[in-house]
Amino acid sequence: MERRSAVVWSCLLGVGLTLALPPACPFNSSKADPRLPQLIGCVFLHRYNVTCRWEAGDTPTTDYTLQVHLMLALQSSFFHQAVRVLISSSVLLRPKKQHTFTCTTSDTSCTARLDGTSVNFCFCITITAHSHNQNITSHPRCQSGRTEVMLSPVTLKSSQSVNGRPRCLNLTWSYILSDFPLAGSEIKTGDLKSQIEFVAQGQFSAQVETVNVTNKSFLVCLFRPDTLYTVRLRHRYMGPESPWSPWSNACQGRTGEDAPSAAPAFWRRVKQTDKNGWRFISLLWKPLPRFLSNGRVLFFNVTCQTESAQVLTDYGSCKDLHHTNTSCSLLLPPGRWSCALTASNSAGTSPEARIWLRGASETEPPAPRQMTANPLDDSGLDVRWTAPVDWSTGGFVVDWFAVREKNGSILYWERLNSSCTALVITEGIKPMERYAVSVKALYGERGAGQNTTVHIYTRQGGT
């Protein structure tokens, strides 16, 4: 605000207020003065033109003339001396040079060419309303052209990831010096206001955010990791009187990877138990969605241990798990065990998902109640249940398979949080097929409870 006030005062000093401007209407003692045209605002295009809008006055008008008077800009070193001269002598300074750019219209807006004149100068703007018997000129408004300048669009040169900053992009931009009426020092001191528009790949609605730009290279940290963005940049000079520039060209950049932000959904299937209590276990998990993996998962890792931290030594097919794996199998000795799963990418490792398996002598917690399953159509089942009474659950697992494929071990499953007591299942569902659908409640370190199972056809074709 102080910088803008200094510019306005500098203009007024250089202009000498109304000096050399067209006169207002003459004094008429018999009538009230007519309301003059009122300037609404202007838009200056550096070295090109200025467009102004105004409200009509009271007098019927045939047309209007917009007059934009160029005043010689005072040097900043002369400013304080000029103030002293004004105060001591009460004499208005006369500009050494002036020029007027005009246009005439019957409308209430008009564009006058600036003929290559920089907006860094001061201008006084008036509107003259012409009628059949008189001309009425508005009071002048004097200001730097930059107050209402629309800056030219800049060039966005690059949008690059930042090492160790997966939510950031470093943007680099440039401009043509002759088209941009701001010095580099003014950009550094914050006279430039800026916004970016960005949209992630696969999305249609763009976001616009204000950013702080004090250099031709700047950091923006508004993004998701490992995501391709299309970005554009625009500026305006200082305050709201200056309109936003057109958007720059679009530039693409991908943010860096971050460690996965969530554990994979994890489950198990006990395939068989021998007479000594050894169990053949299948561990199952789902790939992390892109917004949680924060990059390309490279591998999974499984570890199993007892309550006393005894670690399993033979992991069967659960060793060296590739990013494409979604299951593995191993033998667990008798007793109480837990197994943990993590996913890793180039930036780090996810939180662990853990499941617990009880020993043979432990009592299973209760199963969900009032379970129902109903066919929706040929390829969907609606499953509902009620949580066990007087038990706190950590969630539920719904699993299902086609009965005739039981020996093929094609098991589908979904893990849900404790607030969910219904699920529409469509994965692996075919018409005229009989399915076994089970729901188990999860009880934290106590493991999964007893299961409730129903058999259901997608379309009633038998019993």
Side-chain angles (χ1 to χ4, degrees):
M1 182 60 70
E2 292 179 357
R3 290 174 58 86
R4 176 158 295 180
S5 299
V7 170
V8 171
W9 274 107
S10 178
C11 284
L12 292 176
L13 289 169
V15 168
L17 295 177
T18 59
L19 190 64
L21 299 180
C25 60
F27 176 76
N28 186 335
S29 59
S30 61
K31 295 182 180 179
D33 289 341
R35 187 167 64 90
L36 305 178
Q38 298 293 314
L39 183 63
I40 298 173
C42 300
V43 175
F44 284 79
L45 299 182
H46 186 52
R47 302 187 187 280
Y48 185 55
N49 65 30
V50 54
T51 300
C52 295
R53 298 180 297 118
W54 57 89
E55 292 180 353
D58 293 334
T59 306
T61 301
T62 58
D63 53 16
Y64 298 91
T65 297
L66 168 67
Q67 297 170 306
V68 182
H69 307 273
L70 168 66
M71 301 300 172
L72 180 66
L74 291 176
Q75 298 295 324
S76 58
S77 61
F78 182 64
F79 178 72
H80 296 293
Q81 179 185 350
V83 172
R84 290 194 296 270
V85 170
L86 280 176
I87 294 174
S88 61
S89 64
S90 300
V91 175
L92 296 174
L93 296 178
R94 290 180 175 272
K96 295 181 180 179
K97 174 185 177 182
Q98 64 181 42
H99 187 76
T100 303
F101 308 100
T102 66
C103 60
T104 300
T105 181
S106 59
D107 204 349
T108 54
S109 67
C110 193
T111 300
R113 296 183 62 84
L114 293 178
D115 299 330
T117 301
S118 169
V119 298
N120 287 317
F121 288 106
C122 295
F123 298 85
C124 280
I125 304 161
T126 60
I127 312 296
T128 299
H130 305 285
S131 64
H132 293 295
N133 55 5
Q134 65 177 334
N135 297 330
I136 299 176
T137 300
S138 67
H139 295 300
R141 190 178 79 182
C142 301
Q143 64 188 49
S144 166
R146 294 199 303 182
T147 302
E148 295 179 306
V149 67
M150 178 186 286
L151 299 172
S152 58
V154 299
T155 299
L156 192 54
K157 299 176 67 175
S158 65
S159 175
Q160 297 180 331
S161 62
V162 182
N163 189 32
R165 305 286 296 273
R167 298 184 180 275
C168 302
L169 288 172
N170 191 68
L171 306 182
T172 303
W173 61 285
S174 65
Y175 57 85
I176 299 173
L177 189 61
S178 60
D179 292 344
F180 210 74
L182 270 73
S185 59
E186 293 176 294
I187 296 174
K188 290 181 182 298
T189 55
D191 286 358
L192 196 65
K193 306 304 179 185
S194 309
Q195 288 183 335
I196 63 164
E197 176 196 74
F198 58 94
V199 59
Q201 185 180 31
Q203 294 185 340
F204 298 100
S205 58
Q207 290 180 249
V208 175
E209 296 288 344
T210 299
V211 290
N212 184 34
V213 177
T214 57
N215 211 321
K216 291 184 182 178
S217 181
F218 64 100
L219 201 63
V220 181
C221 299
L222 297 169
F223 309 110
R224 298 195 307 266
D226 190 45
T227 303
L228 181 66
Y229 285 93
T230 301
V231 185
R232 297 195 299 175
L233 176 66
R234 68 179 181 181
H235 301 298
R236 74 179 181 194
Y237 175 68
M238 291 185 72
E241 294 90 346
S242 171
W244 287 107
S245 73
W247 288 106
S248 72
N249 59 298
C251 188
Q252 287 192 327
R254 180 179 290 277
T255 51
E257 292 192 355
D258 196 7
S261 54
F266 192 29
W267 187 228
R268 88 293 185 275
R269 186 181 187 186
V270 181
K271 287 193 171 182
Q272 63 187 50
T273 303
D274 68 17
K275 61 181 181 180
N276 297 318
W278 284 71
R279 292 154 293 181
F280 186 60
I281 305 294
S282 288
L283 299 179
L284 313 169
W285 60 91
K286 294 183 181 293
L288 279 171
R290 189 63 178 265
F291 72 93
L292 295 177
S293 66
N294 298 331
R296 188 171 71 88
V297 172
L298 301 176
F299 61 89
F300 296 94
N301 188 62
V302 168
T303 57
C304 298
Q305 65 182 45
T306 65
E307 286 183 296
S308 60
Q310 176 188 348
V311 177
L312 188 68
T313 55
D314 184 2
Y315 280 92
S317 66
C318 294
K319 295 182 298 184
D320 303 323
L321 295 168
H322 195 255
H323 72 275
T324 58
N325 291 119
T326 56
S327 66
C328 65
S329 298
L330 49 76
L331 274 172
L332 277 184
R336 181 177 177 80
W337 286 79
S338 70
C339 292
L341 174 74
T342 57
S344 297
N345 62 19
S346 66
T349 299
S350 73
E352 69 174 25
R354 185 172 291 272
I355 56 173
W356 287 263
L357 294 105
R358 288 181 302 278
S361 62
E362 294 182 70
T363 303
E364 289 183 300
R369 303 176 300 120
Q370 300 174 341
M371 177 185 172
T372 62
N374 295 293
L376 293 176
D377 49 33
D378 288 351
S379 56
L381 298 172
D382 179 52
V383 183
R384 296 176 183 273
W385 63 93
T386 302
V389 177
D390 299 330
W391 285 79
S392 177
T393 64
F396 301 95
V397 171
V398 181
D399 63 40
W400 63 97
F401 61 88
V403 173
R404 66 180 178 86
E405 295 178 351
K406 182 175 182 180
N407 295 331
S409 300
I410 303 176
L411 180 73
Y412 301 95
W413 59 280
E414 196 71 42
R415 187 163 180 162
L416 308 169
N417 63 40
S418 58
S419 65
C420 293
T421 56
L423 177 67
V424 173
I425 58 178
T426 57
E427 185 182 9
I429 302 297
K430 300 176 183 178
M432 297 292 294
E433 193 76 71
R434 188 169 182 245
Y435 289 89
V437 183
S438 298
V439 181
K440 300 178 181 67
L442 304 177
Y443 296 94
E445 294 188 11
R446 298 193 63 173
Q450 302 173 46
N451 66 296
T452 301
T453 302
V454 298
H455 291 78
I456 183 71
Y457 280 92
T458 47
R459 184 192 299 160
Q460 192 63 38
T463 57

